[in-house]
Amino acid sequence: MFALIDCNNFYASCERVFQPQFEGKPVVILSNNDGCVIARSNEAKALGIPMGAPAFKYREAFKKNNIKVFSSNYPLYGDMSSRVMYILEEYTPNVEIYSIDEAFLAFEGFDYFNLKETGLKMRKQVRQWTGIPVSVGFAPSKALSKIANKIAKKFTERTNGVYIIDSEDKRLKALKWTPITDVWGIGRQHAKRLQVMGVKNALDFTMLPDEWVKKHMSVLGLRLKKDLQGLPAIQLEESILTKKSIATTRSFKNTLTALVDLEERITTYTISCAEKLRKQKSCASALYVFVKSDPHKVGATPYRNGYTLTLPNATDSNLILAKHALKALKNIYRSGIDYKKAGVIVLGLTPTAERQITLFEQDTAKHHDLMKVLDKIHLRFGPHRMKLASQDLKQTWKMKQEHLSQRYTTEIKEIIQIK
């Protein structure tokens, strides 16, 4: 059996753990720079606040309906996610962390266990140890466990937050209940095509011929169909700890026009990517830099461009990556443009221990030692203590976060105070 554990309204729940006065109250979480709504509590959904709603357009609605607004606090959410996943790993070694608030578990050899009791125990322990409410769905396959989880969450009072698809009747009933637009793994375009064909729900999808599914939705679509039929065809991912690419992209608080200002931003974003590379023990062999003008500024010249640059050798060095990122920026910079957003993506990641070098590579061994010392300094004394000369030495650039809560679990100066 597979299980999907999903944290309910995760971002809002993280905020409520340390500010319980907002339990049962409408809560929304805003994206970087407080741009738009990226998470909503059930109470906010009931008030009609849509996902992706621009914050400036809904400012009056927030005030009128007494909706509590939070800026996204990723250090807090990431740490709370780690705590939840740590607890889940106590129940089975076969865990796939699917996202920041979801995990698949494979229960092999649990034939004589009461999975309902296991799910309830899991739910109680996560709630008691972290304060985060979760829903648990058990089923013979990953796709079915997704549906079981939705049923557990939708009908919490009847299911106590745990639902098991363990019979053919339950499987058929669950598939018929699930609209085709809500089936895990079926995107918007495929859903539209299937609806035109009269496929309204997940059960209808499982009735399609294998040949048609494979032809029009590839072998992945066929695996999904088998999974929904109760024949496990989608297995747990062996490892998702290392990313295939790492990106740092931000919108600026104010538009930038000067090359020197953009260079400062690109350097800072590149160093952020380099730090993430070293954290997962990877090196990048290429990078992509892009810039974008302000699309909302009346009379401004629209412009967006990007440049991909292959590095001489795979590296995780701040110095080398920043040097080549600035080269890429100069290839796409145009004067007279009001730039609103820029970003850096490092590509072609390989494990540091398996990094390929050439006979003519310059000696960069000292970079490895230098970066190691730099990371230790930042770990001990805090980030942004040491910078490259192309960065702003006097100012630390920050996102617009007017509603940011404290980093209760990751910053000693911001831990909760008990009076």
Side-chain angles (χ1 to χ4, degrees):
M1 294 287 279
F2 290 85
L4 176 69
I5 289 78
D6 183 18
C7 300
N8 302 340
N9 302 313
F10 181 60
Y11 289 177
S13 294
C14 288
E15 301 290 356
R16 285 168 165 171
V17 168
F18 300 97
Q19 301 186 71
Q21 67 268 28
F22 299 117
E23 196 74 42
K25 304 288 180 62
V27 172
V28 297
I29 313 297
L30 303 181
S31 63
N32 290 334
N33 288 316
D34 292 346
C36 60
V37 174
I38 59 169
R40 306 158 295 164
S41 66
N42 290 334
E43 296 80 8
K45 294 175 186 177
L47 291 171
I49 304 299
M51 183 67 81
F56 73 94
K57 287 186 178 181
Y58 282 80
R59 193 171 290 117
E60 289 300 321
F62 296 156
K63 187 175 181 180
K64 180 180 178 182
N65 294 288
N66 294 319
I67 297 175
K68 177 60 180 177
V69 179
F70 288 99
S71 300
S72 50
N73 189 342
Y74 294 117
L76 175 64
Y77 307 153
D79 184 68
M80 294 299 289
S81 173
S82 297
R83 292 167 186 250
V84 172
M85 302 308 169
Y86 179 80
I87 295 171
L88 299 182
E89 289 171 353
E90 294 184 358
Y91 288 85
T92 171
N94 303 315
V95 178
E96 175 194 336
I97 300 175
Y98 183 66
S99 67
I100 194 171
D101 62 343
E102 290 179 285
F104 286 105
L105 278 63
F107 286 86
E108 299 175 358
F110 284 71
D111 297 344
Y112 300 103
F113 280 69
N114 188 320
L115 292 181
K116 180 72 173 183
E117 290 183 2
T118 300
L120 291 172
K121 180 182 177 183
M122 193 184 307
R123 192 168 185 261
K124 180 180 179 181
Q125 186 176 359
V126 172
R127 179 71 168 181
Q128 188 174 22
W129 288 19
T130 69
I132 302 295
V134 300
S135 298
V136 183
F138 288 98
S141 67
K142 286 176 71 175
L144 285 174
S145 70
K146 266 275 191 181
I147 295 177
N149 185 279
K150 287 187 177 181
I151 294 173
K153 185 178 293 187
K154 180 74 173 179
F155 306 103
T156 304
E157 293 184 0
R158 275 191 278 172
T159 64
N160 288 322
V162 180
Y163 188 73
I164 306 174
I165 298 177
D166 54 1
S167 68
E168 185 65 5
D169 287 342
K170 284 185 177 181
R171 183 184 74 85
L172 295 175
K173 187 176 180 180
L175 294 181
K176 191 174 181 180
W177 174 80
T178 307
I180 192 64
T181 52
D182 289 347
V183 175
W184 176 58
I186 294 183
R188 187 178 302 173
Q189 295 303 319
H190 280 311
K192 286 182 179 179
R193 174 189 288 182
L194 292 169
Q195 285 175 321
V196 171
M197 295 172 55
V199 178
K200 297 179 180 179
N201 52 48
L203 182 60
D204 294 337
F205 176 70
T206 61
M207 300 298 182
L208 293 174
D210 287 356
E211 295 77 12
W212 187 94
V213 175
K214 186 175 181 180
K215 179 180 179 180
H216 296 280
M217 301 179 66
S218 77
V219 68
L220 298 178
L222 186 58
R223 288 177 185 169
L224 175 60
K225 179 190 171 186
K226 298 294 183 184
D227 235 48
L228 292 171
Q229 290 174 326
L231 307 171
I234 305 175
Q235 300 302 319
L236 293 186
E237 294 287 342
E238 292 184 2
S239 176
I240 58 169
L241 296 178
T242 54
K243 300 178 181 179
K244 296 180 180 179
S245 65
I246 293 175
T248 300
T249 66
R250 296 285 186 273
S251 295
F252 310 136
K253 186 176 182 180
N254 302 306
T255 56
L256 305 178
T257 56
L259 176 60
V260 65
D261 291 331
L262 284 174
E263 286 179 333
E264 197 283 334
R265 288 289 76 213
I266 291 299
T267 301
T268 300
Y269 297 167
T270 304
I271 290 175
S272 175
C273 290
E275 290 171 346
K276 295 173 185 177
L277 279 173
R278 295 194 293 274
K279 190 173 183 180
Q280 71 169 36
K281 295 180 173 59
S282 296
C283 289
S285 55
L287 58 80
Y288 174 76
V289 176
F290 76 88
V291 292
K292 183 180 178 182
S293 63
D294 187 352
H296 303 294
K297 193 168 185 177
V298 179
T301 304
Y303 180 73
R304 63 181 302 163
N305 205 350
Y307 191 86
T308 302
L309 195 149
T310 301
L311 303 174
N313 300 284
T315 182
D316 60 5
S317 168
N318 291 5
L319 305 175
I320 298 174
L321 288 169
K323 175 183 175 181
H324 287 88
L326 294 182
K327 284 183 180 179
L329 174 63
K330 289 176 181 176
N331 278 281
I332 57 177
Y333 173 77
R334 301 290 182 271
S335 61
I337 304 293
D338 294 321
Y339 294 98
K340 184 61 178 176
K341 187 175 184 179
V344 176
I345 305 174
V346 290
L347 308 163
L349 307 192
T350 59
T352 303
E354 301 172 14
R355 184 175 73 97
Q356 295 292 318
I357 62 175
T358 68
L359 291 174
F360 306 103
E361 180 182 10
Q362 295 180 352
D363 181 18
T364 58
K366 58 185 179 182
H367 286 222
H368 174 75
D369 295 334
L370 177 61
M371 294 303 109
K372 195 173 181 180
V373 171
L374 196 64
D375 290 339
K376 284 185 177 179
I377 291 173
H378 288 162
L379 181 64
R380 180 175 180 181
F381 298 103
H384 316 301
R385 298 291 180 176
M386 301 183 71
K387 301 180 180 181
L388 297 184
S390 54
Q391 292 181 271
D392 189 331
L393 302 178
K394 297 181 180 179
Q395 180 180 4
T396 299
W397 288 64
K398 294 183 178 180
M399 293 182 290
K400 179 184 178 184
Q401 295 177 307
E402 296 179 347
H403 311 281
L404 186 64
S405 58
Q406 295 178 198
R407 296 163 292 178
Y408 298 100
T409 63
T410 60
E411 177 56 56
I412 191 66
K413 295 179 182 178
E414 298 179 14
I415 61 173
I416 193 168
Q417 297 181 2
I418 301 176
K419 298 181 181 179

